[in-house]
Amino acid sequence: MSQRVFTCVQDLKAAVGEQFGPTDWVEISQQTVDRFADVTGDHQWIHVDPERAAASSLGGTIVHGHLTLSMLPGFASRLYAIRTGAARLNYGLNKVRFPAPVRVGTKVRATATIKSLHDVPAGVRIVFGWTVEAQDTDRPVCTAETITLVVS
């Protein structure tokens, strides 16, 4: 998989509707989940107690939905680079959903699409649509729109 590099706004505009990816598969370990729990303070047993979670209907610990969401910047850096403008800022999110759980130890990967690009006073605002899938899962495990502000 090669990274798409954008060096001007015109190339970004031309790529609206284009899909990037998928990325390579990335395994989410229990150690990663535990560290995320420590950082966020979310120590719900379904994420961090393998013994208790094994007895649940899910059959084991599951990854925090927000951990999956927080992987998007890393996936983005594998799929594309925006090398134009004075700065590139995380402007926000739209329509975040976690349609299916991710079992700890599962591998995930992502695809991104440039959904829209709008000129704004500070530069351009880009909306990326994301789908994260897990191995052996029919439904996406995370869908989201991220908004990037490319400052002129």
Side-chain angles (χ1 to χ4, degrees):
M1 169 196 60
S2 61
Q3 181 190 58
R4 178 78 183 273
V5 177
F6 294 97
T7 57
C8 66
V9 171
Q10 292 79 4
D11 289 346
L12 285 161
K13 287 180 179 180
V16 170
E18 186 175 334
Q19 180 175 299
F20 309 99
T23 62
D24 293 333
W25 293 103
V26 176
E27 184 174 340
I28 305 175
S29 69
Q30 186 65 56
Q31 179 183 18
T32 299
V33 170
D34 292 343
R35 288 183 7 222
F36 187 83
D38 289 342
V39 168
T40 62
D42 182 354
H43 290 93
Q44 184 183 24
W45 63 268
I46 197 64
H47 304 302
V48 298
D49 187 340
E51 188 174 304
R52 184 175 178 192
S56 76
S57 62
L58 292 167
T61 50
I62 60 170
V63 175
H64 300 78
H66 285 103
L67 189 157
T68 308
L69 180 66
S70 73
M71 294 175 72
L72 294 183
F75 287 136
S77 69
R78 293 174 179 98
L79 295 176
Y80 60 85
I82 300 172
R83 296 191 180 138
T84 187
R88 286 139 313 273
L89 306 174
N90 176 359
Y91 189 77
L93 299 163
N94 294 329
K95 302 178 185 177
V96 177
R97 301 290 183 270
F98 306 109
V102 179
R103 295 271 313 263
V104 170
T106 300
K107 293 180 181 180
V108 296
R109 68 180 180 181
T111 56
T113 303
I114 298 178
K115 295 187 76 171
S116 64
L117 187 146
H118 301 283
D119 292 315
V120 295
V124 294
R125 191 170 51 223
I126 309 165
V127 176
F128 290 90
W130 287 92
T131 301
V132 181
E133 62 178 324
Q135 282 184 325
D136 304 322
T137 303
D138 295 334
R139 295 182 303 167
V141 298
C142 178
T143 60
E145 292 180 357
T146 60
I147 308 165
T148 300
L149 178 62
V150 178
V151 179
S152 304

